[in-house]
Amino acid sequence: MRILSIALNTFRENLREKLLYNLLIFALLMIGSSIVLSRLTLGDYERLILDIGLGSINIFGVLIAIFVGIGLVSKEIEKKTIYTIVSKPVPRYEFLTGKFCGLAITLLVNTCVMVVGLLLVLWLKQVPVEGILFKAVALIYLECLVVTAVALLFSTFSSATLSAIFTLAIYVIGHLSSDLRLFGKKFMGEVGQGILNTLYYVLPNLDRFNLKGHVIHHIAFTATDMALTLAYGVAYMSLLLILSSVIFQNRDFQ
């Protein structure tokens, strides 16, 4: 019950963030611009609309997750309201979990708004909507939650600026980890190969959540693959939240 109260309060606080609305407006403008750009293409305009639409939902969802996520804890420290919170009989893991759930609700609402914008564009251009599109959006949302958990982890022990830099670095490496591992296998020695293999297994493989190619090229994604990907994302996100709670529990705010 306390987690739900903190989550709803965090959601209301997020709604007052001007940055949130700016990113959402840019995302909708990007999705809407695909109508104009599709008139300039000579080939398959459906692919262009789906590519821009899903790409916009992904990029702006991740930006919201990072730049709002790093403020979940750091703002409480800057405003010194953290001293009031930790002095109350509220377990710190409940505080962190509530903050995370609040941003998860915010991301869900924003993702739904962007998806409605994409569906409107598809309807206007008479592009058929397939079920794989909603699977792709579900995995984009899960990717945003994993990125939020990464941002929350860094914000428990570093400044807001460093948290943003670290989270962006994890996001980029997370999408390139498979390529980096292959690069290390072909062109690097044992030490370099070992480092890249470690990065591959330790950091989140965010490319698993990318179904854009499946949507554009009408490639099936089975229920088993979907369940395994969801399980991977939820397990990684839970691990990050547990680690964040341990660090936050042992942090001294005196």
Side-chain angles (χ1 to χ4, degrees), residues 27-100:
L28 292 174
L29 287 175
M30 283 292 294
I31 294 170
S33 69
S34 62
I35 297 177
V36 179
L37 293 174
S38 66
R39 294 180 179 174
L40 304 177
T41 58
L42 298 175
D44 191 352
Y45 66 88
E46 294 182 8
R47 294 183 179 182
L48 179 71
I49 293 173
L50 290 169
D51 194 15
I52 293 177
L54 289 175
S56 300
I57 293 171
N58 192 349
I59 294 297
F60 286 97
V62 167
L63 288 177
I64 291 171
I66 293 175
F67 290 108
V68 180
I70 58 174
L72 291 178
V73 175
S74 60
K75 281 188 178 178
E76 302 290 351
I77 296 173
E78 289 174 5
K79 295 177 182 175
K80 302 190 184 302
T81 51
I82 192 70
Y83 300 107
T84 308
I85 294 167
V86 297
S87 63
K88 292 182 178 179
V90 178
R92 294 187 183 186
Y93 76 88
E94 288 191 4
F95 171 73
L96 272 187
T97 307
K99 284 284 185 182
F100 177 81

Side-chain angles (χ1 to χ4, degrees), residues 157-175:
F157 62 86
S158 63
S159 65
T161 305
L162 287 177
S163 297
I165 293 172
F166 291 151
T167 308
L168 278 171
I170 296 291
Y171 174 74
V172 173
I173 296 173
H175 274 283

Side-chain angles (χ1 to χ4, degrees), residues 54 57 111 115 118 132-142:
L54 289 175
I57 293 171
T111 303
V115 170
L118 176 59
I132 186 68
L133 176 69
F134 298 100
K135 289 182 180 178
V137 171
L139 291 187
I140 287 174
Y141 176 65
L142 183 59

Side-chain angles (χ1 to χ4, degrees), residues 192-203:
Q193 189 176 339
I195 293 172
L196 293 177
N197 278 340
T198 303
L199 290 176
Y200 175 79
Y201 287 112
V202 173
L203 298 182

